[in-house]
Amino acid sequence: MTRDQRRSSRRHEPRSFRCGHCRLDVPTDAVGTSHRNHCPNCLWSRHLDETPGDRAAECGSMMEPIAITVRGDGEWVLVHRCGGCDELHLNRTAGDDNPLLLFRLAVLPLARTPFPIEMIGAF
Ligand SMILES: [Zn+2]
Ligand SMILES: [Zn+2]
């Protein structure tokens, strides 16, 4: 988001943000989450919050989606790592997140095992 865009949104909560990674204009209303904090197209985020929605972080760097984890109820959660300060954040996935990218993140460790996958059968 440029400074001009930020100024033009005045006192209202911005209704959309420009993704700093793929440049998509992302509406802030998301299915299944009250604070959309990552881009549904490329899943990148920005380090703005200390806790979700508080906008307390001064870092502001782009956060790369590096992994998927799953909560006990089956909800998928994105792990973001900040490119500026290396902080890790957990973010709920939204209903319109890119399913292919989510899936790729989820299977990435299986696609790149540090040992031959045939070894699994040996134990
Ligand atoms: Zn994006
Ligand atoms: Zn950061």
Side-chain angles (χ1 to χ4, degrees), residues 41-91:
N41 183 52
C42 69
L43 308 180
W44 280 62
S45 183
R46 188 183 284 275
H47 192 184
L48 298 175
D49 298 339
E50 294 301 339
T51 55
D54 67 2
R55 295 294 180 260
E58 290 176 6
C59 177
S61 298
M62 292 306 296
M63 300 188 82
E64 181 183 3
I66 58 167
I68 297 282
T69 186
V70 62
R71 288 195 169 136
D73 55 3
E75 182 180 38
W76 275 22
V77 178
L78 268 168
V79 183
H80 282 107
R81 181 176 55 208
C82 180
C85 67
D86 269 351
E87 196 165 294
L88 295 178
H89 277 191
L90 297 180
N91 290 301

